[in-house]
Amino acid sequence: MRFLYYDSVVKIEKGKSIVGTKAFSLSEEFLRGHFSRVAIVPGVIFVEAMAQLLGWLIIYSHDFRLSAIMSLIEGVTVPAGLRPGFSTEIHGEIISTSGRDSLGRAEVYIDGKLAASMERIIYSHFYRIEREELKKRFHYYSGLDID
């Protein structure tokens, strides 16, 4: 993962939901040279933040036996013109999951108000993975101890 678009996982409920946080500062690498006059957080960053957290929830829920690859998003709403200097709370929920794929939805809140959402996100499951490596990455990226 080249860019991580969440700072921490604050709550995870296996097979159900995940909550994470992300603070957007002016020092974010993705802002460098993106806009010539005024730094604006691109809406696609919210999509990626929701997708990353929900992907980890799916991997965690399947006991690190698979990797989740985003394959479809629908009903996306993102804010326009947000300048860096705010924190978010990102919520993801699994609607359904099987051996082949998972369906979820996600929302981003700023100061308790809905700022971005995805009504539907589908992940295909990929099974050629190294389970212990995924566990290490999850621990490193989320800060949560798992076993």
Side-chain angles (χ1 to χ4, degrees):
M1 199 178 303
R2 181 168 176 180
F3 290 105
L4 190 61
Y5 293 112
Y6 64 90
D7 295 331
S8 66
V9 174
V10 295
K11 181 180 174 190
I12 190 165
E13 195 172 347
K14 193 176 223 174
K16 295 184 180 181
S17 63
I18 191 167
V19 178
T21 61
K22 172 68 177 156
F24 289 91
S25 68
L26 191 54
S27 64
E28 296 285 354
E29 181 66 27
F30 61 82
L31 292 173
R32 186 188 315 205
H34 188 74
F35 294 97
S36 60
R37 295 178 188 230
V38 177
I40 303 289
V41 177
V44 71
I45 301 300
F46 290 93
V47 172
E48 184 63 23
M50 291 184 278
Q52 285 181 5
L53 269 177
L54 198 48
W56 277 116
L57 173 62
I58 292 164
I59 292 167
Y60 174 75
S61 296
H62 286 268
D63 296 319
F64 302 94
R65 297 190 192 318
L66 58 83
S67 189
I69 301 166
M70 180 176 60
S71 56
L72 174 86
I73 60 172
E74 291 181 331
V76 175
T77 303
V78 294
L82 279 181
R83 298 198 32 132
F86 60 92
S87 293
T88 62
E89 190 171 270
I90 306 160
H91 295 247
E93 172 187 7
I94 293 176
I95 297 169
S96 67
T97 191
S98 70
R100 290 181 43 181
D101 55 25
S102 294
L103 170 65
R105 67 174 150 240
E107 299 172 328
V108 177
Y109 293 87
I110 300 171
D111 296 328
K113 295 179 184 164
L114 184 64
S117 63
M118 281 193 297
E119 292 176 11
R120 181 175 141 138
I121 180 168
I122 296 175
Y123 294 83
S124 297
H125 296 172
F126 180 72
Y127 285 92
R128 296 187 78 196
I129 53 97
E130 294 198 24
R131 188 170 183 234
E132 292 306 312
E133 180 61 28
L134 269 181
K135 284 175 133 178
K136 287 178 190 174
R137 285 186 194 174
F138 180 74
H139 172 70
Y140 180 77
Y141 292 147
S142 69
L144 297 177
D145 286 323
I146 48 139
D147 280 318

